């Protein structure tokens, strides 16, 4: 009878291969880095100033409407002061329209002077116009 030769199987190596393990780590790291970069890019786009160098026509129109509103407030305040020798609050001003959509106006007065601001609530950079009884209108963004 022929003898059968029996080959003993080698034990399975249960340790991960170094090359494959490292490749998996690198692939995972690159995937995470890609998601982080994508998130940062999305945040940067959201964080752009609406009234900066890349201002689009619709935002330009909104900003110009806010400027017209500021001029209207100054004009009416001046007219009221010439007649009554006092400045009025924003709700007391005759014929002043509502602020443009997305802007918030605030006016404070003690009757002898006033300060006024109109701020863009949609703008990440918080663009604003402000003025007072002198009638000059200024543009502003907060200090960062």
């Amino acid at each position: 009878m022929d003898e059968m030769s029996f080959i003993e199987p080698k034990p399975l190596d249960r340790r991960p291969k170094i090359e494959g393990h490292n490749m998996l780590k690198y692939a995972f790291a690159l995937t995470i880095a890609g998601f982080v970069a994508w998130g940062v890019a999305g945040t940067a786009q959201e964080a752009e100033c609406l009234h900066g160098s890349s201002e689009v026509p619709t935002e330009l129109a909104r900003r110009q409407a806010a400027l017209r509103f500021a001029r209207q407030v100054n004009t009416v305040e001046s007219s009221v002061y010439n007649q009554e020798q006092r400045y009025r609050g924003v709700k007391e001003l005759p014929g002043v329209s509502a602020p443009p959509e997305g802007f918030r106006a605030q006016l404070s007065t003690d009757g002898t002077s006033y300060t006024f601001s109109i701020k863009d609530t949609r703008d990440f950079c918080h663009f604003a116009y402000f003025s007072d009884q002198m009638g000059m209108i200024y543009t502003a963004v907060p200090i960062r």
Side-chain angles (χ1 to χ4, degrees):
M1 210 182 204
D2 281 311
E3 274 187 40
M4 283 179 64
S5 62
F6 182 78
I7 301 175
E8 247 183 82
K10 291 184 181 179
L12 293 176
D13 188 4
R14 301 238 182 242
R15 292 178 297 162
K17 293 193 182 233
I18 300 297
E19 302 82 35
H21 184 66
N22 282 342
M23 288 298 281
L24 183 60
K25 281 178 22 181
Y26 290 130
F28 182 72
L30 286 173
T31 301
I32 295 300
F35 280 121
V36 169
W38 180 52
V40 169
T43 302
Q45 283 181 335
E46 292 170 7
E48 279 188 33
C49 298
L50 295 179
H51 306 292
S53 59
S54 59
E55 184 176 47
V56 297
T58 55
E59 296 305 329
L60 172 63
R62 287 180 59 249
R63 184 174 54 81
Q64 289 173 336
L67 180 57
R68 284 191 299 275
F69 181 83
R71 286 184 176 140
Q72 184 181 34
V73 168
N74 279 346
T75 300
V76 173
E77 283 287 20
S78 178
S79 177
V80 165
Y81 188 83
N82 287 336
Q83 294 172 1
E84 303 174 7
Q85 300 304 299
R86 71 177 184 93
Y87 295 106
R88 292 184 181 184
V90 73
K91 293 182 181 178
E92 302 172 296
L93 294 176
V96 173
S97 60
E101 188 176 328
F103 280 86
R104 190 183 93 234
Q106 182 176 343
L107 187 145
S108 298
T109 183
D110 62 2
T112 61
S113 64
Y114 73 91
T115 57
F116 166 74
S117 66
I118 182 163
K119 300 174 185 174
D120 191 344
T121 60
R122 296 178 184 171
D123 185 21
F124 177 79
C125 298
H126 306 284
F127 177 85
Y129 288 116
F130 67 95
S131 189
D132 60 17
Q133 69 280 350
M134 299 304 292
M136 300 296 292
I137 300 171
Y138 302 88
T139 59
V141 290
I143 297 171
R144 295 177 194 234

